[in-house]
Amino acid sequence: MEIREAVRQRRSIRKYKDTEIPEQVLKEVLEDALWAPSGVNRQNWFIYAVRGEKKDELLKAVAGSGKYLKPRLETLYKKEVVNLTMSFFTNLGGAPVILLVYIPKNIVEIHPAMSNRERYLAEHERFVNLLSASALIQNILLLAKSRGLGTCWMTAPKYNEDQINEIMGITDKELVAVIPIGYPDQNPPAPPRKGEKIRFIGFNQPV
Ligand SMILES: Cc1cc2nc3c(=O)[nH]c(=O)nc-3n(C[C@H](O)[C@H](O)[C@H](O)COP(=O)(O)O)c2cc1C
């Protein structure tokens, strides 16, 4: 699959087939994804692939996080969309595997009076780790797409991060994303992309 195709045709999948992912395929997707760039090549990220009983425990924690997102969704979307999203939270669309992406825990104090440099000095570690983990996550999403797998990058479960970390027995890391992964059982339309996001400066011709 062409990179352009994978980028443009990847969709957030919220309904999955009841089909297991061959372990080799999952392993290859995750190992290939690790070739993402990372700040000073620290590769400061961790991926957990979870299925079975632990996944069922995680689902309960994720389901409980939906209520924190609901009020925001209600200001943005119609009732049907809100209800669909909420029902996705109950079982993550039946995905056979849940991926969790973590970075090392690094919580620092920042305040509005700080200059940009002071702020960056203070939160540099977390900032760079978050961006690096995001590159890793996008790799997972695109590689999964190229193998016929669907995914949904999720941050709303962070509302219940304490519960998720307890289930996972994790104390020294910060949760970046929860990603259900499996074979898609839906083909959702592409939400339109907004224009006017790119400015060409110093180009001779209007592009
Ligand atoms: C940082 C980030 C957080 C997201 N969190 C959630 C989430 O918590 N729940 C969810 O259903 N989708 C979540 N999404 C998916 C977006 O809703 C989705 O990417 C967007 O609507 C565009 O649709 P597409 O991915 O099909 O192109 C998230 C996406 C990103 C990049």
Side-chain angles (χ1 to χ4, degrees), residues 10-12 14 69 77 85 88-89 152-157 189-191 193:
R10 177 212 55 79
R11 294 276 71 76
S12 292
R14 298 185 175 90
L69 179 69
Y77 301 112
T85 309
F88 169 58
F89 271 82
C152 185
W153 182 339
M154 298 177 76
T155 49
R193 264 43 188 176

Side-chain angles (χ1 to χ4, degrees), residues 1-177:
M1 176 177 246
E2 284 279 334
I3 186 90
R4 276 188 89 191
E5 260 179 273
V7 168
R8 284 183 173 253
Q9 291 174 16
R10 177 212 55 79
R11 294 276 71 76
S12 292
I13 299 300
R14 298 185 175 90
K15 194 167 184 286
Y16 297 87
K17 288 188 179 139
D18 185 18
T19 310
E20 284 295 336
I21 308 170
E23 281 182 34
Q24 187 58 25
V25 172
L26 183 62
K27 203 164 162 255
E28 282 171 15
V29 164
L30 300 181
E31 284 180 354
D32 290 348
L34 294 174
W35 287 89
S38 65
V40 275
N41 194 25
R42 291 279 296 279
Q43 302 172 37
N44 241 338
W45 48 46
F46 308 89
I47 307 171
Y48 295 82
V50 187
R51 65 177 189 188
E53 280 174 26
K54 205 53 131 185
K55 187 191 88 170
D56 297 338
E57 283 182 61
L58 283 176
L59 283 181
K60 285 186 202 142
V62 171
S65 69
K67 64 173 181 283
Y68 299 96
L69 179 69
K70 202 173 173 205
R72 180 136 185 272
L73 289 179
E74 281 168 342
T75 65
L76 292 170
Y77 301 112
K78 284 185 281 184
K79 207 172 167 192
E80 305 87 78
V81 179
V82 176
N83 290 343
L84 266 176
T85 309
M86 285 303 111
S87 74
F88 169 58
F89 271 82
T90 58
N91 70 344
L92 295 188
V97 174
I98 298 180
L99 304 175
L100 304 177
V101 175
Y102 278 89
I103 56 172
K105 195 170 188 166
N106 189 284
I107 311 298
V108 292
E109 206 177 326
I110 54 165
H111 47 85
M114 280 176 158
S115 69
N116 284 336
R117 184 182 299 118
E118 283 168 337
R119 207 176 120 195
Y120 186 54
L121 280 166
E123 61 177 4
H124 164 268
E125 185 77 16
R126 180 169 185 259
F127 186 83
V128 171
N129 287 340
L130 274 177
L131 297 189
S132 306
S134 299
L136 172 76
I137 293 167
Q138 181 70 346
N139 269 3
I140 295 174
L141 268 48
L142 295 178
L143 286 159
K145 172 73 193 174
S146 77
R147 308 293 292 255
L149 289 161
T151 53
C152 185
W153 182 339
M154 298 177 76
T155 49
K158 268 184 78 76
Y159 290 114
N160 273 355
E161 176 169 357
D162 289 342
Q163 217 178 318
I164 291 172
N165 292 351
E166 203 178 315
I167 292 165
M168 297 298 295
I170 287 172
T171 54
D172 58 348
K173 298 181 182 69
E174 179 180 356
L175 179 66
V176 179

